[in-house]
């Protein structure tokens, strides 16, 4: 069975993170690999006793975190579940930890908790993950309880490549029996947009077997406001966004939208990479 990688930080919210991740993993049928990194720069800032080396202090912190995370993971009754969990403590910077994980081919998803206090740093870390890994990243507000995924909103820019993402998303949605609302926020002519909508609907009908998909478009001057307003009206449980990186200008545009949504959205956000 494949894994879901869960970044278990901040540890003071570790119990909430474990509970949330178990709910997600059980529905997707994925085992869990919890990860935590001990940053050498943080270790150095904590070293007050010159009689202890940086390496010794680092090892001491790692052992403490192993015990702490072990207790959090073992708080679950894994014998009653169809999934299992392991945990790893990495020494080194955040990028190093995820590059190590990226070398493995048995992972399907990254689950990343975002705290209000550390949101700026967490968003930066999320883009580091997207830069070095092909895996989708599920970001959720730390401390929140898992909410059953019944309605998914996928914010699309209506490119042909979107069909591949929608196909992957339809497999994901099957696990939750969720409805997929494909949304395009546009600023141009309504009649022209209706023709584009019809073309996408036809393409989806030919390429994708999943039936519970609808195509919507909304005219708004602000993309993020259009996404937010539609998601609220649709009672969405999950927002899906796509990060592209083949064209630097398109990627900057997409990244700007993703950053804004991560900052303001109260919904969990699943980010695919193309």
């Amino acid at each position: 069975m494949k894994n879901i990688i869960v970044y278990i930080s901040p540890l003071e919210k570790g119990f909430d993170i474990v509970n949330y991740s178990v709910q997600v993993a059980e529905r997707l049928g994925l085992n869990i690999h919890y990860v935590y990194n001990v940053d050498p720069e943080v270790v150095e800032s904590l070293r007050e006793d010159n009689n202890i080396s940086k390496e010794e202090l680092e090892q001491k912190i790692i052992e403490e975190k192993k015990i702490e995370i072990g207790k959090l993971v073992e708080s679950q009754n894994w014998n009653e579940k169809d999934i299992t969990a392991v945990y790893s403590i990495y020494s080194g910077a955040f990028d190093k930890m995820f590059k190590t994980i990226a070398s493995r081919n048995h992972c399907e998803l990254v689950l990343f908790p975002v705290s209000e206090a550390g949101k700026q740093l967490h968003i930066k870390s999320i883009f580091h993950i997207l830069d070095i890994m092909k895996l989708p990243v599920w970001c959720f507000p730390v401390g929140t309880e898992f909410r059953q995924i019944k309605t998914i909103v996928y914010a699309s820019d209506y490119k042909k490549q979107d069909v591949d993402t929608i196909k992957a998303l339809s497999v994901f949605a099957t696990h939750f029996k969720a409805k997929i609302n494909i949304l395009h926020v546009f600023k141009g002519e309504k009649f022209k947009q209706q023709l584009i909508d019809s073309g996408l609907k036809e393409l989806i009908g030919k390429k994708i077997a999943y039936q519970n998909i609808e195509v919507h478009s909304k005219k708004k001057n602000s993309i993020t406001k259009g996404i937010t307003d539609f998601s609220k009206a649709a009672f969405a449980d999950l927002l899906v966004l796509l990060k592209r990186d083949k064209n630097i200008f398109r990627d900057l545009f997409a990244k700007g939208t993703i950053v804004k949504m991560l900052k303001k959205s109260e919904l969990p956000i699943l980010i695919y990479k193309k």
Side-chain angles (χ1 to χ4, degrees), residues 2-5 98 101-111 126 129-138 243 270-274:
K2 294 186 178 181
N3 288 333
I4 177 173
I5 303 168
F98 273 92
I101 299 170
S103 66
R104 302 172 183 174
N105 59 7
H106 57 276
C107 301
E108 288 200 351
L109 178 70
V110 175
L111 198 62
I126 288 163
I129 296 170
L130 290 166
D131 285 340
I132 63 174
M133 301 173 77
K134 288 289 186 182
L135 299 178
V137 181
W138 179 325
K243 180 185 182 295
L270 177 62
I271 306 171
Y272 282 91
K273 180 179 177 181
K274 189 67 178 175

Side-chain angles (χ1 to χ4, degrees), residues 70-82:
K71 287 179 179 178
L72 289 169
V73 175
E74 289 159 15
S75 67
Q76 298 287 325
N77 189 345
W78 297 102
N79 292 329
E80 295 182 355
K81 305 181 190 303
D82 293 327

Side-chain angles (χ1 to χ4, degrees), residues 155-174:
S156 165
D157 61 359
Y158 279 16
K159 301 299 174 185
K160 285 185 178 179
Q161 299 96 320
D162 273 359
V163 175
D164 293 333
T165 305
I166 295 165
K167 188 180 289 186
L169 181 56
S170 68
V171 175
F172 174 88
T174 302

Side-chain angles (χ1 to χ4, degrees), residues 94-247:
F94 184 92
D95 286 358
K96 179 183 175 183
M97 176 179 72
F98 273 92
K99 281 179 182 176
T100 301
I101 299 170
S103 66
R104 302 172 183 174
N105 59 7
H106 57 276
C107 301
E108 288 200 351
L109 178 70
V110 175
L111 198 62
F112 198 103
V114 178
S115 70
E116 194 62 40
K119 186 171 283 189
Q120 201 70 33
L121 178 60
H122 288 163
I123 290 173
K124 183 178 179 181
S125 298
I126 288 163
F127 278 95
H128 279 320
I129 296 170
L130 290 166
D131 285 340
I132 63 174
M133 301 173 77
K134 288 289 186 182
L135 299 178
V137 181
W138 179 325
C139 317
F140 68 98
V142 68
T144 58
E145 292 184 2
F146 173 80
R147 189 169 76 182
Q148 177 61 31
I149 308 298
K150 296 179 181 178
T151 302
I152 298 170
V153 171
Y154 172 49
S156 165
D157 61 359
Y158 279 16
K159 301 299 174 185
K160 285 185 178 179
Q161 299 96 320
D162 273 359
V163 175
D164 293 333
T165 305
I166 295 165
K167 188 180 289 186
L169 181 56
S170 68
V171 175
F172 174 88
T174 302
H175 293 280
F176 300 94
K177 298 179 180 178
K179 176 182 179 181
I180 301 174
N181 284 317
I182 301 168
L183 170 69
H184 181 61
V185 180
F186 70 100
K187 300 178 182 179
E189 185 183 341
K190 187 173 182 180
F191 177 72
K192 183 179 179 181
Q193 186 60 46
Q194 288 171 341
L195 293 177
I196 295 172
D197 291 352
S198 298
L200 183 63
K201 288 176 186 177
E202 184 179 356
L203 197 57
I204 289 171
K206 290 179 180 178
K207 300 282 188 179
I208 300 172
Y210 196 69
Q211 296 297 310
N212 203 2
I213 301 177
E214 291 184 3
V215 176
H216 306 265
S217 56
K218 297 293 177 184
K219 188 171 183 178
K220 287 278 185 181
N221 290 325
S222 166
I223 293 175
T224 54
K225 181 167 174 49
I227 295 171
T228 301
D229 290 349
F230 179 87
S231 298
K232 286 180 179 177
F235 299 100
D237 305 297
L238 180 70
L239 174 62
V240 178
L241 302 170
L242 178 64
K243 180 185 182 295
R244 303 178 190 273
D245 59 2
K246 289 185 178 180
N247 181 303

